[in-house]
Amino acid sequence: MISEQVVKIGDIEVNFTTHEVVKNEKHIDLTWTEYKLLCLLVLSQGSVLERQKIKNQVWGEGVCCADNTINVSIKRLRDKLDSQHPNKYIQTINGIGYRWV
């Protein structure tokens, strides 16, 4: 469980109470799916999240979504976090999934 209401990793703050994300004191507007994906990655910092786990945690168990759905959501999240350096926060682990770095 989350012991902190606000988690700060580098220049990004995630407020689990208000569901707000701030980078360098600027609010980042995320969809609900992007927010859930970000939380999952942040709370698993350093661990590789397999695609199936991401699907189950973000979209729900038993929900059918294409692998491309994850790719598109990760791309959109990367662009919103840092469009000039899209791999700064989220690393692709080929054939497995993603990791927050």
Side-chain angles (χ1 to χ4, degrees), residues 67-99:
D67 283 347
N68 191 44
T69 303
I70 296 173
N71 298 345
V72 170
S73 295
I74 290 284
K75 182 187 181 332
R76 288 182 179 156
L77 182 57
R78 282 175 167 159
D79 287 346
K80 289 182 179 183
L81 295 176
D82 193 334
S83 61
Q84 294 180 347
H85 304 98
N87 296 319
K88 180 177 180 179
Y89 301 104
I90 303 169
Q91 179 183 25
T92 300
I93 308 301
N94 290 327
I96 300 173
Y98 298 93
R99 171 176 44 209

Side-chain angles (χ1 to χ4, degrees), residues 3-55:
S3 61
E4 299 285 328
Q5 299 301 330
V6 177
V7 172
K8 183 171 172 99
I9 299 177
D11 53 0
I12 293 180
E13 286 183 23
V14 180
N15 186 317
F16 295 104
T17 302
T18 63
H19 303 280
E20 293 178 305
V21 178
V22 175
K23 180 183 174 195
N24 296 326
E25 300 180 22
K26 291 183 181 178
H27 178 77
I28 299 175
D29 188 29
L30 299 178
T31 66
W32 183 240
T33 299
E34 291 164 347
Y35 175 77
K36 291 191 300 184
L37 182 56
L38 175 65
C39 290
L40 180 62
L41 289 164
V42 165
L43 292 173
S44 302
Q45 182 179 7
S47 298
V48 177
L49 294 174
E50 295 177 357
R51 299 176 73 77
Q52 189 62 45
K53 181 172 184 170
I54 293 170
K55 281 182 186 181

Side-chain angles (χ1 to χ4, degrees), residues 57-70:
Q57 294 289 320
V58 176
W59 284 272
E61 287 191 48
V63 173
C64 184
C65 71
D67 283 347
N68 191 44
T69 303
I70 296 173

